[in-house]
Every structure is written in structure tokens, then in C-alpha cells.
Amino acid sequence: RKEVEQDPGPFNVPEGATVAFNCTYSNSASQSFFWYRQDCRKEPKLLMSVYSSGNEDGRFTAQLNRASQYISLLIRDSKLSDSATYLCVVNIPGGGNKLTFGTGTQLKVEL
Amino acid sequence: DTEVTQTPKHLVMGMTNKKSLKCEQHMGHRAMYWYKQKAKKPPELMFVYSYEKLSINESVPSRFSPECPNSSLLNLHLHALQPEDSALYLCASSQGIAGGEETQYFGPGTRLLVL
């Protein structure tokens, strides 16, 4: 089983749509969770950290379910500029701040 | 300011060349990282430095040699690389490596081509 699993997509959605991405992780001892976005041929950029209580930043909402080892990202009112690959990232316990990345979910927002 | 800078942006080198990649951050972060990313794959961790000391080497071949001259700078020295080492090399930094300090910020990367 992969340490972090994501549906690779692509998700093709019209502008204004709501889209949800899911991610599962295998190490129940993981404590830190993130969503990054990566545009083609660019570096990953932090979108948001994910907290147990859930968190929202504008059109973006992240949820964490520790019991199911499941992380989600919801994007509302999607924009053309949201087109990117979204990486689910989880820390590897044991020190050193090692992160493990999912393979990413590609989103294409269309007119 | 969450800026991490990397130079050069692009690098082409032969298998017998020696070159260096440079990374700099002025956020007062005490942990810095090197990652390698191949096309359509996620980043793979290579090295972690914490307080200027190497804390993790992910069994990287010795043709890659990291160096941390001070808390703001991180270098990656390259020697006798292979064509399969062609990739995007990303530097990242974080406040630290302990809980609450671990969010990593990435530089724009160096796109390396080995001929």
C-alpha cells in the first residue's frame, strides 16, 4: 500500500463548479498534513495545512479524519486559475520532518 | 516573505562535469532540504539539514554532495552525473523540524539536464 494515495485525475470541471479531492495515508502516527498545489514546471506551493478541526481559506476547505486516515480538499466556485496539480502531503513520524507526497491530482477548470 | 531562491534556473552538464546548485533563504529558517522531482512524479527527498548539520541522507549516491555553509545557504555539488539524474531539483526550508515548525516552503527549482 502506498504511504499516501490520491486519485490522479484529471478532473475536468467547468468554471464555478465545486470539486473535491480525497487522499488516504497509511501511517496512523502521522501528525502533520498539507495540501500543496503545483503548476506545470513550477515548484509546489503551500495551499493550506490541514487540522483535525478542519480549516477553511476562502474558497478552499480542508478536512482531516484521523480515524479513517483520510484527508479532503474542497474547492468552491472554481476559477480557471485553479487549474494545477494538487499534492496531498503527510509527515513521516520518526524525526527529521520527512514528508511523503501523494502523486497528485490534476485539476483542469474549463470555460 | 516566504521566499526561497535557487540558482541557476537551468543547467546543462556533461557526465564528466562538476557543477553546483545553490539555494538561499532569509526567513531565519533552521532546516533546509533538497528534493529531486522527475516529470509527472512527486518530489523525492534527498537530504535534510537541521541547524547546519546533515540530519537525513536518503541513501543518495555520492555523486551528489550537499553542503550547508551557513543557516541561510544550501549547496548541492554535482559530479559525474548520469543522464537519469536529469530532473527538477527543489530546495525547501522550514522553521525547524519539530512539531509546529515543519511547514516547508519551496524554491523555484533548478532544471538539470545531463548529457
Side-chain angles (χ1 to χ4, degrees), chain A residues 36 38 41 43 97-98, chain B residues 33 37 58 102 104 107 111:
Chain A
Y36 282 76
Q38 187 168 25
R41 300 179 69 81
E43 75 274 23
N97 197 21
K98 290 174 61 171
Chain B
Y33 311 78
Q37 187 175 24
E58 289 287 270
E102 69 278 300
Q104 294 184 25
R111 196 161 294 279

Side-chain angles (χ1 to χ4, degrees), chain B residues 75-93:
Chain B
N75 298 323
L76 186 63
H77 302 299
L78 314 173
H79 175 53
L81 293 195
Q82 303 297 310
E84 59 264 30
D85 296 322
S86 299
L88 179 67
Y89 288 84
L90 293 161
C91 174
S93 72

